[in-house]
Amino acid sequence: MTETDFTIRELRRRFAEKSLSPLDYWLALEKHIDAWEPSIAALYLYDPQAAREQAKASSERWMKGGTLGPLDGIPVTLKELIATKDQPVPLGTKAVELTPAEADAPAAARLREDGAVIFAKTTCPDYGMLSSGLSSFHPLSRNPWDITQNPGGSSAGASAAAAAGYGPLHVGTDIGGSVRLPAGWTGVFGFKPSHGRIPVDPYYVGRCAGPITRTVEDAAWSMATLSRPDWRDGTSLPPNDFDWMDLDIDLSGMRIGLMLDAGCGLAVDEDVRIAVEEAAKLFEKAGATIVPAGPVLTRAMLDGLDNFWRSRFWGDIAGLSEERRESILPYIYEWAKGGADISGVDAVKGFNQTIEMRKTCGRLFTEVDAVLSPTNPIVSYPAEWPSPTNDPKLPFEHIAFTVPWNMSEQPASSINCGFSKGMPIGLQIVGPRFDDMRVLRLSKAFENWTGGVKNWPKPPAA
């Protein structure tokens, strides 16, 4: 293991014993990023000089024994959609004017309060509306496991950065799977907490922020910082007193549902199905009872959500000049134009399908304590594609396993459970609403059983 692979716990130990300073660690990480970035294009507003200054200030705090918080000196990226003061938020598109943000969004504010070294934003597709590294504004982001392949999205740069080892913590956002989907396709750990656990601004139905890391513990470590409430999010949950590092769990007596059919969307690849079934056997071996779980999503629900999102998005961009609208990625613009013909009544009917998802998810959790499923139905797809279908008429066929849990506000994670032809496969673990610790504990147990990913991709120049 090189120092650029250190976890948060290991970094804090070395900072405390003064065998490594935040500045020395950053300088090593900077070289590592320079070796990777030309190949995967994960970053926006990368500022190594500002990072050196932040790391130097943190080094001085560690020397004096007066750190600001649990992430002091830890390099962090934030998804481009998460505002940072005095920097523009392009939303991944050429259509937006580059106006500096007036304030840090909640996640950025909490990280800064605790002394984290924020060294870059990470890329996303236009308006965060794709599970892809393709954008009309950013360079094409690629998957470190194979740069001809897609990292997924919309937290595309965050997942690519985590897989490439750009430090231990990257914060993304997730409204239909945008943390978990790219985590699954890049082999890293992605955690979507209960709605409101990590405050967001702007907040919206189903929209969450969550950590993307190489290990479960690093994600758990970040939660004490990221989960502090913020008045700007009207769904922000009350302060919690969780010990986020209490990750032990006894699975005896637990009923865990195994969902291999999402109800609609893309068919599950055989290699994905086999990997998830093998993962379920490990939970069973540890004392859980594995029971079949039917789908919680229907075609009507997914199509209704599509109508609602199209009409909402068309409303967001209708006021733009025609020139600006046409600068949006054509795939997204083609999809969005369908929103112009959706009536208000049909848009409301579409929104009501989010309530139906909440009902079916709630009903399932009267019978089980957790759910296992594939994160992504397919193993991989080309980097240049805007989505796994490459068809704007079928934009959400890949989110059928992930999106219901946004609408039901339940915590869910994606953790690597195998590989197919060198590309990662993600296992999704879902828990009851507000029981974020159960998902983290089950994820940690699985990581312990498998040993986690041991051989991360190396920079092309290495």
Side-chain angles (χ1 to χ4, degrees), residues 186-209:
T186 57
V188 296
F189 181 69
F191 180 52
K192 181 203 81 69
S194 299
H195 191 90
R197 181 70 69 200
I198 297 177
V200 295
D201 179 33
Y203 72 92
Y204 195 72
V205 175
R207 185 171 188 249
C208 301

Side-chain angles (χ1 to χ4, degrees), residues 170-195:
H170 309 273
V171 182
T173 60
D174 188 318
I175 198 171
S178 287
V179 161
R180 290 156 291 156
L181 292 165
W185 276 311
T186 57
V188 296
F189 181 69
F191 180 52
K192 181 203 81 69
S194 299
H195 191 90

Side-chain angles (χ1 to χ4, degrees), residues 70-292:
L71 296 176
D72 203 322
I74 304 299
V76 177
T77 68
L78 289 156
K79 186 176 179 178
E80 186 246 271
L81 300 179
I82 300 171
T84 44
K85 186 178 180 181
D86 297 330
Q87 294 180 324
V89 186
L91 305 179
T93 180
K94 288 181 179 178
V96 169
E97 294 186 33
L98 299 181
T99 304
E102 295 183 0
D104 284 335
R110 300 297 87 76
L111 290 166
R112 228 184 280 281
E113 289 163 5
D114 279 7
V117 175
I118 301 175
F119 66 90
K121 308 297 279 292
T122 51
T123 61
C124 66
D126 294 53
Y127 297 95
M129 288 304 298
L130 296 177
S131 192
S132 174
L134 185 63
S135 161
S136 66
F137 180 82
H138 299 294
L140 178 64
S141 298
R142 296 175 179 271
N143 194 321
W145 292 96
D146 179 346
I147 61 173
T148 71
Q149 298 299 291
N150 213 298
S154 61
S155 303
S159 63
Y166 287 20
L169 176 59
H170 309 273
V171 182
T173 60
D174 188 318
I175 198 171
S178 287
V179 161
R180 290 156 291 156
L181 292 165
W185 276 311
T186 57
V188 296
F189 181 69
F191 180 52
K192 181 203 81 69
S194 299
H195 191 90
R197 181 70 69 200
I198 297 177
V200 295
D201 179 33
Y203 72 92
Y204 195 72
V205 175
R207 185 171 188 249
C208 301
I212 299 176
T213 60
R214 282 185 170 184
T215 70
V216 176
E217 187 179 83
D218 279 348
W221 199 291
S222 75
M223 288 300 295
T225 296
L226 294 171
S227 67
R228 292 202 294 271
D230 192 294
W231 66 267
R232 291 172 289 177
D233 184 343
T235 66
S236 180
L237 296 179
N240 61 75
D241 58 358
F242 305 154
D243 178 358
W244 289 99
M245 303 307 292
D246 179 10
L247 296 174
D248 293 333
I249 190 169
D250 180 0
L251 276 72
S252 301
M254 287 190 71
R255 286 175 56 85
I256 298 180
L258 176 59
M259 182 185 294
L260 295 172
D261 176 7
C264 56
L266 292 173
V268 176
D269 283 353
E270 182 70 3
D271 286 356
V272 173
R273 182 187 62 77
I274 291 171
V276 171
E277 286 179 333
E278 290 300 311
K281 290 177 183 177
L282 295 180
F283 288 88
E284 189 171 44
K285 186 178 178 181
T289 299
I290 303 297
V291 298

